[in-house]
Amino acid sequence: MKIFLIGMMGTGKSYWKQLLAKQCKTGGYDLDFIIEAQEERTIPEIFQEDGEIYFRKAEAKLLRWFGEKKAFVLATGGGTPCFHQNMEWMNQQGITIWIDEPLNVLVERLSEEKAHRPLLAGVDDEGLRTFLSQKLEERKPFYSKATHHLQGDQINLKYLKKIISQHA
Ligand code: S3P
């Protein structure tokens, strides 16, 4: 089965990908890491040197590479579902799980990590909440197309397994 984890940055997609892949005895991947390996530079460097449009094209292209694979858990980037028909493509390929966290949680987690997130470069602490709130609203129409929508406090491995078993 192909499982795509989607949601805002800071929702723990990579964490859940790792646990779920282990539990399902399948490959776990992180789209951001694959892009960085392919490009031989970090995501902030890609944004800085070539801009977001370039990044989104590279992201969409590498995502399509998963069309060849049969089973995996993939942690996507926060913006992945919102560009190049990626959400529709993922839904055709397998199941999409939206991991959703309240704004407070995102603000708290991301205020420590701004350096690794090019979209947050130049956003000060006061601006972070507004920025994330706007981004989330902008992205909800895409995230809402997910097969499953889970709130952060609902998620545990047992629940994830139950959801997935519905598709077996
Ligand atoms: C982005 C989120 C990042 C990464 C890039 C853009 C976004 O991934 O793809 O910095 O647009 O929200 P994470 O969600 O893994 O942080």
Side-chain angles (χ1 to χ4, degrees):
M1 193 181 307
K2 302 185 187 197
I3 302 166
F4 300 89
L5 302 184
I6 68 160
M8 287 287 281
M9 46 190 141
T11 48
K13 299 179 297 276
S14 296
Y15 171 79
W16 289 112
K17 165 222 72 185
Q18 206 162 345
L19 292 188
L20 196 54
K22 195 168 171 208
Q23 182 77 31
C24 298
K25 299 191 173 62
T26 190
Y29 302 88
D30 212 305
L31 192 56
D32 285 344
F33 293 159
I34 297 175
I35 297 170
E36 289 185 330
Q38 177 85 11
E39 292 274 332
E40 296 181 341
R41 49 190 176 153
T42 65
I43 288 176
E45 282 166 353
I46 301 172
F47 268 70
Q48 207 171 19
E49 291 164 12
D50 287 319
E52 184 174 357
I53 294 176
Y54 174 90
F55 172 79
R56 296 304 174 191
K57 276 192 196 145
E59 178 181 56
K61 193 169 162 205
L62 284 172
L63 177 66
R64 298 303 187 277
W65 178 73
F66 284 88
E68 304 291 314
K69 295 183 84 64
K70 284 209 168 61
F72 54 82
V73 182
L74 177 68
T76 64
T80 311
C82 316
F83 295 87
H84 298 294
Q85 304 291 312
N86 291 340
M87 194 64 207
E88 289 72 16
W89 187 83
M90 289 189 281
N91 277 331
Q92 281 159 12
Q93 290 286 317
I95 67 171
T96 47
I97 301 176
W98 173 16
I99 303 178
D100 197 5
E101 288 283 3
L103 199 56
N104 282 345
V105 173
L106 298 183
V107 172
E108 196 177 314
R109 286 185 190 162
L110 293 169
S111 58
E112 304 297 322
E113 287 188 38
K114 285 200 294 201
H116 312 292
R117 321 267 178 174
L119 289 186
L120 303 181
V123 179
D124 61 20
D125 283 348
E126 278 117 70
L128 187 60
R129 170 175 292 273
T130 314
F131 178 85
L132 289 172
S133 152
Q134 282 169 355
K135 265 287 165 246
L136 186 57
E137 284 313 305
E138 219 176 275
R139 291 178 170 182
K140 266 185 191 166
F142 298 93
Y143 293 162
S144 310
K145 293 180 189 159
T147 326
H148 299 280
H149 177 188
L150 305 192
Q151 300 295 336
D153 58 4
Q154 278 184 302
I155 303 180
N156 56 55
L157 207 45
K158 205 171 151 196
Y159 189 45
L160 279 170
K161 271 187 72 187
K162 193 175 149 202
I163 285 176
I164 288 158
S165 68
Q166 295 167 9
H167 296 268

